[in-house]
Amino acid sequence: MSRKPLIAGNWKMNGTLESGGALAQAVADGAADAACDLLVCPPAQLLYPIGRALAGTPVQLGAQDCHAEEKGAHTGDIAAPMLSDIGCSHVIVGHSERRENHGETDGTVRAKAEAAHRAGLIAAICLGETEAIRDAGKTNSFIIGQLDGSVPEGSTAANTVIAYEPVWAIGTGRTPTPAEANEVHALIRSHLSDRLGADECAKLRILYGGSMKPGNAAELLAQPDIDGGLIGGAALKAEDFLAIAAAAKG
Ligand code: 13P
């Protein structure tokens, strides 16, 4: 089964109209050469202008979070249908920074992924262990728990991507070895196969995130169960982001 790689940039809380606009334009300018799908996830205030700038290009637009409900008294939040209304195709849910900084549980993440699905968005569901969990040799059971808690019934290869992001690798310059990362990706695929079906999971894209850079992308992306990347810091430089995309062969 060949899965077209997806290289996604999570810009986190970075970018102004000027700097974000220039970054999106530079990504779009390099997109024609990419053999993979490209997605940028700017901060909320840039979604609309960048969506307009990307219209007609192959670069897709994603948000970094959504609320689980469709509307109502939730000051500061954005609902999934609002994101599809302005042209988003994807939304990241359950990033470890939101789990940590906003107290999001697996249940919250699952409800947000369900809201994304209802709104016709692709949910990029993030999970990953802390260093303490890895050191305790409990990575596999922890990941299985997060999958069971965070991935809703009805998830398919068309409405979901999974991002495995070991917390200890995010923004640290450290990564698992490609084989170690692939081991967790293979576990994710086989565990979800039992729930969602083997055919669906053979098509499901599982991204790696955590200090992916031009220098390590090719060896990570060459692993059989690593189907792309969710890039933080290196997504803020178009040159680096496009170099990672160039390492993702279809
Ligand atoms: P870095 O690439 O900066 O480690 O961030 C990864 C990440 O958190 C993407 O969602």
Side-chain angles (χ1 to χ4, degrees):
M1 166 64 62
S2 79
R3 294 173 290 269
K4 189 173 186 188
L6 170 64
I7 298 298
N10 174 7
W11 295 5
K12 306 192 181 182
M13 197 170 70
N14 295 290
T16 60
L17 266 181
E18 190 177 342
S19 67
L23 176 56
Q25 190 58 54
V27 170
D29 289 345
D33 298 332
C36 59
D37 288 335
L38 290 173
L39 169 70
V40 293
C41 303
Q45 98 284 9
L46 293 182
L47 286 170
Y48 184 67
I50 287 186
R52 291 195 57 144
L54 293 177
T57 80
V59 183
Q60 295 180 288
L61 182 71
Q64 298 175 14
D65 181 45
C66 67
H67 196 276
E69 290 179 30
E70 259 138 65
K71 60 180 175 165
H74 299 288
T75 303
D77 282 314
I78 302 179
M82 296 170 174
L83 298 174
S84 50
D85 182 46
I86 59 163
C88 290
S89 54
H90 292 67
V91 59
I92 297 170
V93 293
H95 192 283
S96 61
E97 288 151 14
R98 293 210 57 91
R99 292 177 183 261
E100 171 76 20
N101 301 341
H102 296 270
E104 294 191 6
T105 63
D106 286 342
T108 320
V109 176
R110 183 187 189 108
K112 290 182 174 197
E114 285 168 345
H117 292 164
R118 282 196 303 275
L121 295 168
I122 297 170
I125 304 175
C126 301
L127 37 88
E129 80 287 358
T130 62
E131 186 157 37
I133 291 168
R134 178 157 283 256
D135 288 347
K138 296 194 170 137
T139 297
N140 289 3
S141 57
F142 181 79
I143 294 293
I144 285 171
Q146 281 194 320
L147 287 171
D148 288 346
S150 310
V151 179
E153 298 308 322
S155 296
T156 65
N159 67 17
T160 302
V161 302
I162 304 290
Y164 169 57
E165 301 204 306
V167 176
W168 53 272
I170 295 176
T172 60
R174 297 164 56 207
T175 63
T177 66
E180 282 166 350
N182 191 66
E183 208 174 295
V184 179
H185 283 233
L187 171 77
I188 291 169
R189 195 179 311 284
S190 78
H191 187 73
L192 287 179
S193 290
D194 294 340
R195 263 182 65 202
L196 307 175
D199 288 351
E200 213 48 57
C201 287
K203 293 183 274 182
L204 180 72
R205 293 192 284 196
I206 305 175
L207 314 185
Y208 169 79
S211 297
M212 191 184 265
K213 309 266 186 259
N216 60 22
E219 55 178 5
L220 286 160
L221 294 167
Q223 295 293 314
D225 283 296
I226 299 184
D227 309 312
L230 183 56
I231 323 298
L236 298 175
K237 277 176 71 183
E239 193 187 341
D240 287 355
F241 186 66
L242 291 168
I244 294 171
K249 308 269 186 321

